[in-house]
């Protein structure tokens, strides 16, 4: 059984840049490329399969028509009735992104007709002094509204300095923004619902401020901010590799696998992909290059390990971010 590589979808953004090309050699469409949707079945930017018998097939169709790639045999009908649950992106923030908040499943399904958007960020690179907005200081919704409506953003928003290798869980309801000079790998629920709270009073090309969604932001924001800072758990080195659990919550697990020379998986797994116990894996290479199960993989490549593949054999020095649904 093959690994399923994907053709990424790019999004040009006012805040985007060229790092996706300079760092990952991705074929970006312009010098303002903000987002690479690396593994996506979302209608706003669906990736297609690049190789093998499913080449050219969109991921949503593959999920619907071939649930055996994503589920164990006893779960097949249920799998094809759901939406593909996750979305993996790489974001190049050449300028500050707007301050935003995302709804949970219940609110998003009622109001927007789609999933909520829990997300998490692995910081791939950050310029010195780079910062994110992560949380706020208000203790009540009244206080939150009052500070927001009177423009006291410095008082309301909490900023955190970041560096390469940092990781942040961003549950629904979290006030957040990626700052300028940060490259991020984001794993999120497959949703495109964003409520913009503040855009630094910037104007677009026609001199208009960008639309804000204050009422919806007030409806979904977590108060007080829940500081969900995670301490990644690193397992003992196995087979010349280090496996780090970055986050495990109701929506997804995200792990980092650092392979130093080679990595031969063993057979002693309980019918799940070794070394990660998952029905299928979404993988993005973020450093190095290697041969994985016979395929040449370079940093910037993304692929799916389908259910039928139970082992990974890796030759080379490479770092992978591996995600699976919970
Ligand atoms: Zn977000």
């Amino acid at each position: 059984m093959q690994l399923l590589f994907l053709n990424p979808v790019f999004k040009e953004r006012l805040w985007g840049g060229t790092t996706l090309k300079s760092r990952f050699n991705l074929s970006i469409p312009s010098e303002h490329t903000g987002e690479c949707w690396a593994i996506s079945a979302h209608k706003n930017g669906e990736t297609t399969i690049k190789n093998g018998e499913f080449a050219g097939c969109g991921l949503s169709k593959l999920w619907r028509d071939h649930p055996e790639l994503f589920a164990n045999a006893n779960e097949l009908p249920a799998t094809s009735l759901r939406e593909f649950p996750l979305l993996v992106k790489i974001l190049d923030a050449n300028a500050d992104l707007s301050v935003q908040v995302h709804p949970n499943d219940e609110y998003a399904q009622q109001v927007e007709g789609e999933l909520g958007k829990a997300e998490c960020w692995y910081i791939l690179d950050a310029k010195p002094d780079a910062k994110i907005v992560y949380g706020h200081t208000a203790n009540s919704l009244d206080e939150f509204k009052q500070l927001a409506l009177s423009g006291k953003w410095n008082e309301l928003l909490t900023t955190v300095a970041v560096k390469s290798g940092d990781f942040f869980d961003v549950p629904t309801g979290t006030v957040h923004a990626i700052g300028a000079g940060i490259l991020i790998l984001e794993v999120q629920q497959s949703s495109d619902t964003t409520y913009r709270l503040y855009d630094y009073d910037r104007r677009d090309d026609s001199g208009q401020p960008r639309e804000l969604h204050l009422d919806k932001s007030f409806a979904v924001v977590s108060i007080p901010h829940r500081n969900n800072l995670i301490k990644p758990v690193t397992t003992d080195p196995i087979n010349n590799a280090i496996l780090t659990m970055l986050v495990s919550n109701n929506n997804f697990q995200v792990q980092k696998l650092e392979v130093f020379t080679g990595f031969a998986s063993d057979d002693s797994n309980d019918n799940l992909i070794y070394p990660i116990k998952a029905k299928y894996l979404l993988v993005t290479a973020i450093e190095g290059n290697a041969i994985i199960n016979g395929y040449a993989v370079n940093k910037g490549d993304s692929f799916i390990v389908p259910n039928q593949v139970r082992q990974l054999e890796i030759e080379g020095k490479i770092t992978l971010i591996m995600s699976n649904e919970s």
Side-chain angles (χ1 to χ4, degrees), residues 100-102 117 119 121 170 176 178 186 188 194:
Q100 49 188 247
V101 60
H102 305 298
K117 190 177 169 190
E119 61 190 50
W121 300 340
V170 186
H176 63 278
I178 302 173
E186 178 178 79
Q188 56 161 97
T194 292

